[in-house]
Amino acid sequence: MNRKEFIKRSTALGIGIPFLSVLLESCNQAATLYPNFDVNFSGNVLVIGAGAAGITAGYILNKHNIDFQILEASVEFGGRLKRSSNFADFPIDLGAEWIHEDPSVLAKLTSNPNIASSVDIITYTPDTVYTWNNDKLRKRNWGGNFYSEYKFKSTTWFGFFEKYMIPNIVDKIRTNSPVTEIDYKANKVKVKNSNGESFEADKVLITVPIKILQEGNITFIPELPSEKIDAINSIVMPDGLKVFIEFAEKFYPDILFTGGFLTEVFASDKLFYNAAFRKNSERNIMGLFTVGDKASVYTSLETDEKIIEKVMEELDTIFEGKASQHYQKHIIQNWSREPYIQGSYSIDFANDPETTVANLIKPLDNKIYFAGEALSLDNGSTVPGAVESSYATVETMLAN
Ligand SMILES: Cc1cc2nc3c(=O)[nH]c(=O)nc-3n(C[C@H](O)[C@H](O)[C@H](O)COP(=O)(O)OP(=O)(O)OC[C@H]3O[C@@H](n4cnc5c(N)ncnc54)[C@H](O)[C@@H]3O)c2cc1C
């Protein structure tokens, strides 16, 4: 089974992101750089959204000296790449965290062969693995042999983009600029934001999360074709949450599966883990990552106070009160409540993924283009997938 087939099958099973690499290990290959391409376009481009896909688009457009601007709805660039710099003594990924691929992918994402060797990477092979199943805590340390992931040692996904992609394009990103309307009936595309400002461009690249398109937060004039609307609506982007808690003592393992090992390692969507594992830190920081129905249990609660209460109750049950005994502080990132994200990532397709993605990617009148994690067949759901979809779409966009 190749990587593409594997991801297609595993997303159909609802496999949580951190586990992909366990099984991808056998299909992992050192990444090669994206090839150069010809440019036959000299107009201007508006990119909507400054997450991994939008930043990448700006990075490539800048390299090809194309006139562009990025309109980002929120106060900061990054989207589902988000960092907390002051919670611990190392930066924490509040969104994407695992690299999921051979770290040589970092050179590929930036089209810079020297980058991978200048970034410190942790191999996340846990020493201690426990399961909490049928109200029993069991040691499954042998499970560490089946788990292998990569993470940044002293930076984050956000920090990686900030250092290697943002510097040349930061002046082109306009934050606090939520796009509400895209009118593509005339020669030039007219874009409006919620501040009442208008912009014009020859081409527009839309990289907002699929949920934002499903919710109809952007009005298209004329309306999008029905096959595109159907494709957008057929992708499942469920709830997503991350919580980090600092404890005075490390009473928990490097990985805690909430279920049986075999079912969880293949199809888990909730994981407690040692977020300080192999970082330069003596602090005890536990992470909780959860997506899908298991995440909804928390994200549907009205307040962050209720979320942390629920998490602490669970941990106290599992670890016999040690969580409350050693609790110091926490931070919660409820992705479902982020107004410009509204969930985790695309996890499943109601119809054939290839047809769905082909319908989504198809440009409209050579003026409107789409990119983002949901549009990557090979690496959907992930940062590398978002980047890859941008390289492919920008190449198509600049071809004519
Ligand atoms: C909890 C969680 C854990 C994850 N873990 C990992 C991981 O370990 N590894 C991994 O590779 N991936 C992980 N991912 C997935 C990864 O974060 C995403 O696949 C990737 O960051 C998506 O990039 P994107 O550019 O497609 O979308 P986004 O990052 O969502 O960017 C879209 C941008 O559009 C903006 N926007 C929305 N509406 C508008 C509008 N109307 N006008 C203007 N701008 C707008 C948004 O504010 C956002 O900045 C995780 C995601 C979550 C939520």
Side-chain angles (χ1 to χ4, degrees), residues 82-95 97 240-247 272-273 275 283-290 298 303-305 307-309 311-312 315 327-335 338:
K82 192 170 176 183
R83 169 183 65 194
S84 167
S85 300
N86 51 18
F87 181 77
D89 54 354
F90 59 94
I92 283 183
D93 284 294
L94 296 173
E97 180 167 358
L241 174 87
K242 284 183 87 172
V243 178
F244 293 89
I245 312 175
E246 177 160 18
F247 293 105
F272 289 97
Y273 60 100
R283 309 255 295 259
N284 304 309
I285 314 286
M286 175 192 254
L288 164 62
F289 153 90
T290 178
Y298 309 96
T303 60
D304 281 1
E305 286 70 33
I307 293 179
I308 192 65
E309 260 173 41
V311 174
M312 289 295 291
L315 289 173
Y327 169 87
Q328 294 190 322
K329 60 176 180 165
H330 71 271
I331 185 169
I332 292 176
Q333 177 61 46
N334 184 346
W335 285 102
E338 287 291 337

Short mmCIF file of all heavy atoms in Angstrom, two decimals, residues 82-95 97 240-247 272-273 275 283-290 298 303-305 307-309 311-312 315 327-335 338:
data_model
loop_
_atom_site.label_atom_id
_atom_site.label_comp_id
_atom_site.label_asym_id
_atom_site.label_seq_id
_atom_site.Cartn_x
_atom_site.Cartn_y
_atom_site.Cartn_z
N LYS A 82 -0.51 27.77 15.51
CA LYS A 82 -0.62 28.77 16.57
C LYS A 82 0.33 28.39 17.69
O LYS A 82 0.47 27.21 18.01
CB LYS A 82 -2.07 28.81 17.06
CG LYS A 82 -2.38 29.98 17.93
CD LYS A 82 -3.88 30.10 18.17
CE LYS A 82 -4.19 31.23 19.13
NZ LYS A 82 -5.60 31.32 19.45
N ARG A 83 0.95 29.41 18.28
CA ARG A 83 1.98 29.13 19.27
C ARG A 83 1.66 29.84 20.58
O ARG A 83 1.18 30.97 20.57
CB ARG A 83 3.30 29.67 18.71
CG ARG A 83 4.45 29.73 19.68
CD ARG A 83 5.68 30.35 19.03
NE ARG A 83 5.47 31.74 18.67
CZ ARG A 83 6.26 32.42 17.86
NH1 ARG A 83 7.31 31.84 17.31
NH2 ARG A 83 6.01 33.69 17.58
N SER A 84 1.95 29.16 21.69
CA SER A 84 1.97 29.85 22.97
C SER A 84 3.43 29.96 23.38
O SER A 84 4.10 28.93 23.54
CB SER A 84 1.19 29.07 24.02
OG SER A 84 1.49 29.61 25.29
N SER A 85 3.92 31.19 23.54
CA SER A 85 5.35 31.37 23.85
C SER A 85 5.61 31.45 25.33
O SER A 85 6.75 31.30 25.77
CB SER A 85 5.87 32.67 23.21
OG SER A 85 5.71 32.60 21.84
N ASN A 86 4.56 31.74 26.14
CA ASN A 86 4.86 32.00 27.55
C ASN A 86 4.23 31.03 28.53
O ASN A 86 4.32 31.21 29.73
CB ASN A 86 4.47 33.45 27.91
CG ASN A 86 3.06 33.74 27.47
OD1 ASN A 86 2.30 32.82 27.22
ND2 ASN A 86 2.70 35.01 27.37
N PHE A 87 3.61 29.96 28.04
CA PHE A 87 3.00 29.00 28.99
C PHE A 87 4.08 28.18 29.69
O PHE A 87 4.03 27.94 30.88
CB PHE A 87 2.01 28.07 28.26
CG PHE A 87 1.34 27.10 29.18
CD1 PHE A 87 0.30 27.51 30.00
CD2 PHE A 87 1.76 25.78 29.25
CE1 PHE A 87 -0.32 26.62 30.88
CE2 PHE A 87 1.15 24.88 30.12
CZ PHE A 87 0.11 25.31 30.94
N ALA A 88 5.08 27.75 28.90
CA ALA A 88 6.16 26.92 29.47
C ALA A 88 7.51 27.57 29.15
O ALA A 88 7.55 28.70 28.65
CB ALA A 88 6.08 25.52 28.88
N ASP A 89 8.60 26.85 29.38
CA ASP A 89 9.91 27.40 29.02
C ASP A 89 10.33 26.91 27.63
O ASP A 89 11.49 26.95 27.27
CB ASP A 89 10.97 27.09 30.09
CG ASP A 89 11.05 25.60 30.42
OD1 ASP A 89 10.22 24.83 29.89
OD2 ASP A 89 11.96 25.22 31.19
N PHE A 90 9.38 26.42 26.87
CA PHE A 90 9.59 26.11 25.46
C PHE A 90 8.27 26.48 24.75
O PHE A 90 7.21 26.47 25.39
CB PHE A 90 9.94 24.63 25.24
CG PHE A 90 8.90 23.67 25.75
CD1 PHE A 90 7.92 23.17 24.90
CD2 PHE A 90 8.87 23.26 27.09
CE1 PHE A 90 6.95 22.29 25.36
CE2 PHE A 90 7.90 22.38 27.56
CZ PHE A 90 6.94 21.90 26.69
N PRO A 91 8.34 26.85 23.47
CA PRO A 91 7.09 27.24 22.81
C PRO A 91 6.20 26.03 22.56
O PRO A 91 6.69 24.94 22.28
CB PRO A 91 7.58 27.87 21.50
CG PRO A 91 8.93 27.30 21.27
CD PRO A 91 9.52 26.96 22.60
N ILE A 92 4.90 26.25 22.66
CA ILE A 92 3.94 25.15 22.56
C ILE A 92 3.07 25.33 21.32
O ILE A 92 2.63 26.44 21.01
CB ILE A 92 3.08 25.12 23.84
CG1 ILE A 92 3.90 24.49 24.96
CG2 ILE A 92 1.78 24.38 23.64
CD1 ILE A 92 3.19 24.34 26.25
N ASP A 93 2.84 24.22 20.61
CA ASP A 93 1.97 24.23 19.44
C ASP A 93 0.51 24.06 19.88
O ASP A 93 0.11 22.97 20.30
CB ASP A 93 2.30 23.05 18.51
CG ASP A 93 3.57 23.24 17.71
OD1 ASP A 93 3.60 24.14 16.86
OD2 ASP A 93 4.54 22.48 17.93
N LEU A 94 -0.26 25.12 19.73
CA LEU A 94 -1.68 25.02 20.11
C LEU A 94 -2.52 24.40 19.00
O LEU A 94 -3.66 24.02 19.20
CB LEU A 94 -2.22 26.41 20.45
CG LEU A 94 -1.58 27.08 21.67
CD1 LEU A 94 -2.06 28.52 21.82
CD2 LEU A 94 -1.90 26.30 22.95
N GLY A 95 -1.93 24.35 17.80
CA GLY A 95 -2.59 23.68 16.66
C GLY A 95 -1.69 22.56 16.19
O GLY A 95 -1.30 21.70 16.98
N GLU A 97 1.25 20.19 15.42
CA GLU A 97 2.41 19.95 16.29
C GLU A 97 3.36 18.90 15.71
O GLU A 97 4.57 19.09 15.68
CB GLU A 97 1.88 19.49 17.66
CG GLU A 97 2.94 19.20 18.69
CD GLU A 97 2.36 19.07 20.10
OE1 GLU A 97 1.14 19.24 20.26
OE2 GLU A 97 3.14 18.79 21.02
N GLY A 240 -12.39 20.12 17.18
CA GLY A 240 -10.99 19.89 17.55
C GLY A 240 -10.59 20.71 18.76
O GLY A 240 -11.05 21.84 18.94
N LEU A 241 -9.77 20.10 19.62
CA LEU A 241 -9.38 20.76 20.87
C LEU A 241 -7.98 20.37 21.28
O LEU A 241 -7.57 19.22 21.08
CB LEU A 241 -10.34 20.30 21.99
CG LEU A 241 -10.02 20.77 23.40
CD1 LEU A 241 -10.65 22.14 23.65
CD2 LEU A 241 -10.55 19.78 24.44
N LYS A 242 -7.24 21.32 21.84
CA LYS A 242 -5.99 20.98 22.53
C LYS A 242 -5.98 21.65 23.90
O LYS A 242 -6.45 22.77 24.05
CB LYS A 242 -4.77 21.39 21.70
CG LYS A 242 -4.56 20.42 20.54
CD LYS A 242 -3.35 20.73 19.74
CE LYS A 242 -2.11 20.09 20.29
NZ LYS A 242 -0.96 20.27 19.35
N VAL A 243 -5.45 20.91 24.87
CA VAL A 243 -5.32 21.46 26.23
C VAL A 243 -3.92 21.12 26.71
O VAL A 243 -3.41 20.02 26.44
CB VAL A 243 -6.35 20.80 27.19
CG1 VAL A 243 -6.18 21.33 28.61
CG2 VAL A 243 -7.78 21.03 26.72
N PHE A 244 -3.26 22.06 27.37
CA PHE A 244 -1.96 21.79 27.99
C PHE A 244 -2.08 22.10 29.48
O PHE A 244 -2.65 23.13 29.85
CB PHE A 244 -0.86 22.63 27.35
CG PHE A 244 -0.62 22.23 25.91
CD1 PHE A 244 -1.34 22.82 24.88
CD2 PHE A 244 0.30 21.25 25.60
CE1 PHE A 244 -1.15 22.44 23.57
CE2 PHE A 244 0.49 20.85 24.28
CZ PHE A 244 -0.23 21.45 23.26
N ILE A 245 -1.55 21.18 30.30
CA ILE A 245 -1.63 21.38 31.75
C ILE A 245 -0.24 21.20 32.34
O ILE A 245 0.47 20.24 32.00
CB ILE A 245 -2.57 20.34 32.43
CG1 ILE A 245 -3.90 20.26 31.67
CG2 ILE A 245 -2.81 20.70 33.89
CD1 ILE A 245 -4.83 19.18 32.20
N GLU A 246 0.15 22.15 33.21
CA GLU A 246 1.43 21.99 33.91
C GLU A 246 1.17 21.36 35.28
O GLU A 246 0.27 21.79 36.01
CB GLU A 246 2.15 23.33 34.07
CG GLU A 246 3.44 23.14 34.86
CD GLU A 246 4.46 24.25 34.68
OE1 GLU A 246 4.09 25.34 34.23
OE2 GLU A 246 5.64 24.00 35.03
N PHE A 247 1.96 20.34 35.60
CA PHE A 247 1.86 19.68 36.90
C PHE A 247 3.18 19.80 37.65
O PHE A 247 4.25 19.93 37.02
CB PHE A 247 1.54 18.19 36.72
CG PHE A 247 0.17 17.93 36.15
CD1 PHE A 247 0.01 17.55 34.81
CD2 PHE A 247 -0.96 18.08 36.93
CE1 PHE A 247 -1.25 17.31 34.28
CE2 PHE A 247 -2.23 17.84 36.40
CZ PHE A 247 -2.37 17.46 35.08
N PHE A 272 -3.62 11.72 25.40
CA PHE A 272 -2.88 12.52 26.39
C PHE A 272 -1.40 12.22 26.16
O PHE A 272 -1.04 11.05 25.94
CB PHE A 272 -3.25 12.11 27.82
CG PHE A 272 -4.64 12.51 28.23
CD1 PHE A 272 -5.70 11.60 28.16
CD2 PHE A 272 -4.91 13.79 28.70
CE1 PHE A 272 -6.99 11.97 28.54
CE2 PHE A 272 -6.19 14.16 29.09
CZ PHE A 272 -7.24 13.24 29.00
N TYR A 273 -0.55 13.23 26.21
CA TYR A 273 0.87 12.96 25.92
C TYR A 273 1.76 13.94 26.69
O TYR A 273 1.30 14.99 27.16
CB TYR A 273 1.15 13.05 24.42
CG TYR A 273 0.83 14.40 23.81
CD1 TYR A 273 1.82 15.34 23.56
CD2 TYR A 273 -0.48 14.74 23.51
CE1 TYR A 273 1.53 16.58 23.02
CE2 TYR A 273 -0.80 15.98 22.98
CZ TYR A 273 0.21 16.89 22.74
OH TYR A 273 -0.09 18.12 22.21
N ALA A 275 4.01 16.63 26.60
CA ALA A 275 4.34 17.67 25.62
C ALA A 275 5.78 18.17 25.77
O ALA A 275 6.31 18.82 24.88
CB ALA A 275 3.37 18.84 25.75
N ARG A 283 10.18 21.03 33.03
CA ARG A 283 8.79 21.24 33.46
C ARG A 283 7.93 20.03 33.04
O ARG A 283 8.27 19.31 32.11
CB ARG A 283 8.24 22.53 32.83
CG ARG A 283 9.16 23.74 33.04
CD ARG A 283 8.67 24.71 34.06
NE ARG A 283 7.45 25.40 33.74
CZ ARG A 283 7.39 26.64 33.28
NH1 ARG A 283 8.50 27.32 32.99
NH2 ARG A 283 6.23 27.21 33.09
N ASN A 284 6.83 19.84 33.75
CA ASN A 284 5.93 18.71 33.48
C ASN A 284 4.69 19.23 32.77
O ASN A 284 3.77 19.72 33.43
CB ASN A 284 5.55 18.02 34.78
CG ASN A 284 6.79 17.58 35.55
OD1 ASN A 284 7.67 16.93 34.98
ND2 ASN A 284 6.88 17.97 36.80
N ILE A 285 4.70 19.14 31.46
CA ILE A 285 3.59 19.69 30.67
C ILE A 285 2.90 18.53 29.96
O ILE A 285 3.49 17.87 29.11
CB ILE A 285 4.08 20.72 29.61
CG1 ILE A 285 5.09 21.72 30.20
CG2 ILE A 285 2.89 21.40 28.93
CD1 ILE A 285 4.52 22.79 31.10
N MET A 286 1.64 18.32 30.31
CA MET A 286 0.86 17.27 29.63
C MET A 286 0.00 17.92 28.55
O MET A 286 -0.55 19.00 28.74
CB MET A 286 -0.05 16.57 30.64
CG MET A 286 -0.97 15.55 29.99
SD MET A 286 -2.26 15.00 31.13
CE MET A 286 -1.67 13.39 31.51
N GLY A 287 -0.10 17.24 27.40
CA GLY A 287 -0.96 17.74 26.33
C GLY A 287 -2.16 16.83 26.17
O GLY A 287 -2.09 15.62 26.45
N LEU A 288 -3.28 17.40 25.77
CA LEU A 288 -4.44 16.60 25.33
C LEU A 288 -4.77 17.06 23.92
O LEU A 288 -4.96 18.26 23.67
CB LEU A 288 -5.65 16.86 26.25
CG LEU A 288 -7.02 16.40 25.68
CD1 LEU A 288 -7.06 14.89 25.45
CD2 LEU A 288 -8.17 16.81 26.62
N PHE A 289 -4.79 16.08 23.00
CA PHE A 289 -5.19 16.35 21.62
C PHE A 289 -6.45 15.53 21.37
O PHE A 289 -6.47 14.34 21.68
CB PHE A 289 -4.07 15.91 20.67
CG PHE A 289 -4.55 15.53 19.28
CD1 PHE A 289 -4.62 16.49 18.29
CD2 PHE A 289 -4.95 14.23 18.99
CE1 PHE A 289 -5.09 16.15 17.02
CE2 PHE A 289 -5.42 13.88 17.73
CZ PHE A 289 -5.48 14.85 16.74
N THR A 290 -7.49 16.15 20.86
CA THR A 290 -8.66 15.35 20.50
C THR A 290 -9.44 15.99 19.35
O THR A 290 -9.51 17.22 19.25
CB THR A 290 -9.58 15.07 21.74
OG1 THR A 290 -10.72 14.32 21.31
CG2 THR A 290 -10.04 16.32 22.44
N TYR A 298 -16.06 18.03 24.80
CA TYR A 298 -15.51 19.21 25.50
C TYR A 298 -15.90 20.52 24.78
O TYR A 298 -16.27 21.49 25.41
CB TYR A 298 -13.98 19.18 25.55
CG TYR A 298 -13.40 17.90 26.07
CD1 TYR A 298 -12.98 16.90 25.21
CD2 TYR A 298 -13.24 17.71 27.44
CE1 TYR A 298 -12.42 15.72 25.69
CE2 TYR A 298 -12.68 16.53 27.93
CZ TYR A 298 -12.28 15.55 27.04
OH TYR A 298 -11.74 14.40 27.53
N THR A 303 -18.04 26.94 28.58
CA THR A 303 -16.88 27.76 28.96
C THR A 303 -15.62 26.90 29.07
O THR A 303 -15.69 25.69 29.25
CB THR A 303 -17.11 28.41 30.35
OG1 THR A 303 -17.28 27.35 31.30
CG2 THR A 303 -18.32 29.32 30.37
N ASP A 304 -14.49 27.60 29.02
CA ASP A 304 -13.21 26.92 29.21
C ASP A 304 -13.10 26.33 30.63
O ASP A 304 -12.45 25.31 30.84
CB ASP A 304 -12.05 27.90 28.97
CG ASP A 304 -11.80 28.12 27.48
OD1 ASP A 304 -12.53 27.51 26.66
OD2 ASP A 304 -10.89 28.89 27.13
N GLU A 305 -13.74 27.00 31.59
CA GLU A 305 -13.70 26.49 32.98
C GLU A 305 -14.32 25.10 33.03
O GLU A 305 -13.81 24.19 33.68
CB GLU A 305 -14.48 27.42 33.95
CG GLU A 305 -13.78 28.72 34.28
CD GLU A 305 -13.74 29.69 33.10
OE1 GLU A 305 -14.70 29.70 32.29
OE2 GLU A 305 -12.73 30.40 32.95
N ILE A 307 -14.52 23.03 30.56
CA ILE A 307 -13.65 22.09 29.82
C ILE A 307 -12.54 21.58 30.76
O ILE A 307 -12.32 20.38 30.87
CB ILE A 307 -13.04 22.76 28.56
CG1 ILE A 307 -14.15 23.08 27.54
CG2 ILE A 307 -11.97 21.86 27.94
CD1 ILE A 307 -13.67 23.75 26.27
N ILE A 308 -11.87 22.50 31.45
CA ILE A 308 -10.75 22.05 32.29
C ILE A 308 -11.27 21.20 33.46
O ILE A 308 -10.64 20.21 33.85
CB ILE A 308 -9.85 23.22 32.76
CG1 ILE A 308 -8.56 22.68 33.38
CG2 ILE A 308 -10.53 24.15 33.74
CD1 ILE A 308 -7.65 21.96 32.44
N GLU A 309 -12.45 21.56 33.98
CA GLU A 309 -13.04 20.74 35.06
C GLU A 309 -13.22 19.30 34.59
O GLU A 309 -12.90 18.34 35.30
CB GLU A 309 -14.43 21.28 35.43
CG GLU A 309 -14.47 22.14 36.64
CD GLU A 309 -15.85 22.76 36.82
OE1 GLU A 309 -16.86 22.06 36.60
OE2 GLU A 309 -15.90 23.97 37.14
N VAL A 311 -11.71 17.72 32.06
CA VAL A 311 -10.42 17.05 31.82
C VAL A 311 -9.81 16.62 33.15
O VAL A 311 -9.32 15.50 33.30
CB VAL A 311 -9.46 18.00 31.05
CG1 VAL A 311 -8.07 17.37 30.93
CG2 VAL A 311 -10.00 18.33 29.67
N MET A 312 -9.86 17.51 34.14
CA MET A 312 -9.25 17.19 35.44
C MET A 312 -9.98 16.04 36.13
O MET A 312 -9.35 15.17 36.75
CB MET A 312 -9.25 18.44 36.34
CG MET A 312 -8.27 19.51 35.89
SD MET A 312 -6.55 18.97 36.02
CE MET A 312 -6.37 18.91 37.78
N LEU A 315 -8.73 12.89 34.53
CA LEU A 315 -7.36 12.56 34.93
C LEU A 315 -7.31 12.09 36.38
O LEU A 315 -6.55 11.17 36.73
CB LEU A 315 -6.44 13.78 34.72
CG LEU A 315 -6.15 14.13 33.25
CD1 LEU A 315 -5.38 15.43 33.15
CD2 LEU A 315 -5.35 13.01 32.56
N TYR A 327 -1.68 19.79 40.11
CA TYR A 327 -2.06 20.80 39.11
C TYR A 327 -1.41 22.16 39.40
O TYR A 327 -1.39 22.62 40.52
CB TYR A 327 -3.59 20.95 39.10
CG TYR A 327 -4.06 22.15 38.30
CD1 TYR A 327 -4.28 22.05 36.94
CD2 TYR A 327 -4.24 23.40 38.91
CE1 TYR A 327 -4.69 23.16 36.19
CE2 TYR A 327 -4.65 24.50 38.19
CZ TYR A 327 -4.87 24.37 36.83
OH TYR A 327 -5.25 25.47 36.10
N GLN A 328 -0.91 22.80 38.35
CA GLN A 328 -0.40 24.16 38.51
C GLN A 328 -1.15 25.17 37.64
O GLN A 328 -1.65 26.16 38.11
CB GLN A 328 1.10 24.20 38.22
CG GLN A 328 1.87 23.39 39.28
CD GLN A 328 3.35 23.56 39.21
OE1 GLN A 328 3.91 23.66 38.13
NE2 GLN A 328 4.00 23.59 40.36
N LYS A 329 -1.24 24.90 36.33
CA LYS A 329 -1.96 25.83 35.45
C LYS A 329 -2.28 25.12 34.13
O LYS A 329 -1.79 24.01 33.86
CB LYS A 329 -1.14 27.09 35.19
CG LYS A 329 0.19 26.82 34.53
CD LYS A 329 0.92 28.11 34.22
CE LYS A 329 2.24 27.78 33.56
NZ LYS A 329 2.92 28.82 32.89
N HIS A 330 -3.11 25.76 33.31
CA HIS A 330 -3.48 25.13 32.03
C HIS A 330 -3.72 26.20 30.97
O HIS A 330 -3.86 27.39 31.27
CB HIS A 330 -4.75 24.29 32.20
CG HIS A 330 -5.97 25.13 32.40
ND1 HIS A 330 -6.39 25.53 33.64
CD2 HIS A 330 -6.84 25.68 31.51
CE1 HIS A 330 -7.47 26.28 33.51
NE2 HIS A 330 -7.76 26.40 32.22
N ILE A 331 -3.78 25.71 29.72
CA ILE A 331 -4.15 26.58 28.60
C ILE A 331 -5.04 25.73 27.67
O ILE A 331 -4.77 24.55 27.47
CB ILE A 331 -2.89 27.13 27.88
CG1 ILE A 331 -3.26 28.12 26.80
CG2 ILE A 331 -2.03 26.05 27.28
CD1 ILE A 331 -2.04 28.89 26.26
N ILE A 332 -6.10 26.36 27.16
CA ILE A 332 -7.06 25.62 26.32
C ILE A 332 -7.13 26.27 24.94
O ILE A 332 -7.21 27.49 24.84
CB ILE A 332 -8.46 25.65 26.97
CG1 ILE A 332 -8.44 24.82 28.25
CG2 ILE A 332 -9.54 25.14 26.00
CD1 ILE A 332 -9.73 24.86 29.03
N GLN A 333 -7.08 25.47 23.91
CA GLN A 333 -7.29 25.98 22.55
C GLN A 333 -8.48 25.22 21.96
O GLN A 333 -8.35 24.06 21.55
CB GLN A 333 -6.04 25.77 21.69
CG GLN A 333 -6.20 26.20 20.24
CD GLN A 333 -6.53 27.67 20.07
OE1 GLN A 333 -5.90 28.52 20.69
NE2 GLN A 333 -7.52 27.98 19.26
N ASN A 334 -9.63 25.88 21.96
CA ASN A 334 -10.85 25.27 21.43
C ASN A 334 -11.00 25.70 19.97
O ASN A 334 -11.50 26.78 19.68
CB ASN A 334 -12.05 25.74 22.27
CG ASN A 334 -13.34 25.08 21.84
OD1 ASN A 334 -13.41 24.47 20.77
ND2 ASN A 334 -14.36 25.20 22.67
N TRP A 335 -10.56 24.85 19.05
CA TRP A 335 -10.57 25.21 17.62
C TRP A 335 -11.97 25.35 17.07
O TRP A 335 -12.19 26.09 16.11
CB TRP A 335 -9.74 24.20 16.81
CG TRP A 335 -8.29 24.41 17.04
CD1 TRP A 335 -7.47 23.69 17.84
CD2 TRP A 335 -7.48 25.47 16.49
NE1 TRP A 335 -6.20 24.22 17.83
CE2 TRP A 335 -6.18 25.32 17.01
CE3 TRP A 335 -7.73 26.53 15.61
CZ2 TRP A 335 -5.13 26.18 16.69
CZ3 TRP A 335 -6.70 27.39 15.28
CH2 TRP A 335 -5.42 27.22 15.82
N GLU A 338 -13.09 28.95 17.35
CA GLU A 338 -12.37 30.01 16.61
C GLU A 338 -13.27 30.44 15.45
O GLU A 338 -13.58 29.63 14.57
CB GLU A 338 -11.04 29.48 16.07
CG GLU A 338 -9.97 29.27 17.12
CD GLU A 338 -9.44 30.57 17.72
OE1 GLU A 338 -9.56 31.63 17.06
OE2 GLU A 338 -8.94 30.53 18.85
#
